[in-house]
Amino acid sequence: MERVVNGPIPADFMSNFDNRIKSFRFDVGKNELLVLDQLLLPHKIEYIPIKNTKDAFTVIRKMQVRGAPLIAIIGALSLLVELTELNFTRNDDLILFIEEKVKYLLSSRPTAINLQNALDTVLVASHVDGDASSKKNVLDSILKLLHDESEENRRLIWNGYQEILNIKNPSSKFVLMTICNTGSLATSSWGTALGVIFSLHQANHVEMVFVLETRPYNQVRCILTYFSLLCSMSVFL
């Protein structure tokens, strides 16, 4: 998404992360990845260590991690964490390793198109001559995926925010509806539909939000309860 409505986006737009639920914690220096167990929300906050692609496969398959953009990021980051600890004497060995891990991760959620797209990018990065540069290219491509997903999400929120404000009656607030979206728990940033809603809420333009979907495992209802409490936002479930 390249188009920006009424751009450029102000530097401080959605820059306050105090109320954002952290769906994962990633420290590139420590090579450490933790993901929030979303099945436990809103009653318990617990992070699961992801030390390799097997761990990522498990949390994706069990739906402890959900949301297409977030699944893609966690899958890619799990590969980064595992790959960082390994060395390859031949470039062909690196490529074979990446191909096997990509196939394995894709089997965790075969319908996840974001995961497919992200891992395709990683595969392309692995096909570079030179052993050392190939591994670095793969790691850099994964870090770029994380950065780009966050920036794309920010542009989406800004565009939605601007378009909705164009139809706002100055004397009233919005009553909004969303279907199956859990904001920052579905992305690496603020979320898609709920991200737009939260940006409007921060600007005091929202009276009420109706949430129309609860699947899977009544998960959306539970997560949005937690989210609304954090954000002091009125939500009707």
Side-chain angles (χ1 to χ4, degrees):
M1 180 193 301
E2 298 298 333
R3 177 173 172 263
V4 175
V5 178
N6 298 332
I9 304 174
D12 61 350
F13 179 72
M14 302 301 287
S15 61
N16 181 359
F17 293 100
D18 291 344
N19 288 337
R20 195 187 77 170
I21 307 171
K22 293 179 175 62
S23 55
F24 68 96
R25 296 172 179 170
F26 174 61
D27 188 321
V28 66
K30 295 180 179 179
N31 194 37
E32 183 178 83
L33 175 63
L34 304 170
V35 301
L36 181 63
D37 187 345
Q38 297 187 25
L39 291 178
L40 300 180
L41 296 176
H43 306 292
K44 187 176 182 181
I45 299 174
E46 185 174 296
Y47 284 85
I48 304 168
I50 304 297
K51 298 181 179 180
N52 47 50
T53 51
K54 182 178 179 180
D55 291 340
F57 179 98
T58 300
V59 296
I60 294 171
R61 175 62 68 89
K62 289 184 175 181
M63 301 196 77
Q64 291 166 299
V65 169
R66 65 172 305 281
L70 183 61
I71 288 171
I73 291 299
I74 296 304
L77 286 177
S78 74
L79 181 55
L80 179 148
V81 169
E82 185 169 349
L83 181 60
T84 297
E85 303 298 328
L86 302 175
N87 292 303
F88 298 88
T89 57
R90 298 190 313 136
N91 197 51
D92 288 346
D93 294 335
L94 170 64
I95 293 174
L96 180 61
F97 174 83
I98 297 294
E99 289 176 344
E100 289 177 347
K101 294 301 180 180
V102 164
K103 183 178 180 181
Y104 174 66
L105 284 168
L106 288 176
S107 68
S108 67
R109 191 73 60 82
T111 58
I113 188 63
N114 293 60
L115 180 61
Q116 174 76 68
N117 292 340
L119 295 179
D120 282 349
T121 299
V122 175
L123 276 174
V124 170
S126 70
H127 287 75
V128 177
D129 292 335
D131 300 337
S133 63
S134 292
K135 178 179 174 180
K136 184 178 185 304
N137 284 338
V138 170
L139 298 179
D140 287 347
S141 72
I142 295 172
L143 293 175
K144 187 175 186 299
L145 283 171
L146 176 61
H147 173 270
D148 289 352
E149 198 277 327
S150 180
E151 285 301 303
E152 180 177 307
N153 190 211
R154 187 164 174 265
R155 288 195 300 272
L156 182 152
I157 294 170
W158 171 260
N159 285 350
Y161 175 81
Q162 291 295 316
E163 294 288 2
I164 292 176
L165 280 186
N166 287 338
I167 62 173
K168 182 180 182 296
N169 184 330
S171 63
S172 64
K173 294 184 179 182
F174 286 113
V175 175
L176 301 169
M177 174 184 73
T178 183
I179 300 175
C180 195
N181 183 274
T182 48
S184 59
L185 291 179
T187 71
S188 66
S189 183
W190 283 101
T192 50
L194 201 57
V196 176
I197 290 172
F198 189 58
S199 68
L200 292 164
H201 170 68
Q202 282 190 327
N204 199 31
H205 294 312
V206 176
E207 179 178 338
M208 173 70 71
V209 179
F210 286 87
V211 180
L212 301 187
E213 189 162 2
T214 59
R215 64 178 180 175
Y217 310 130
N218 206 33
Q219 207 175 13
V220 173
R221 182 188 296 271
C222 293
I223 291 171
L224 276 172
T225 299
Y226 178 61
F227 185 87
S228 63
L229 289 172
L230 276 183
C231 303
S232 301
M233 184 166 62
S234 297
V235 174
F236 186 84
L237 302 171

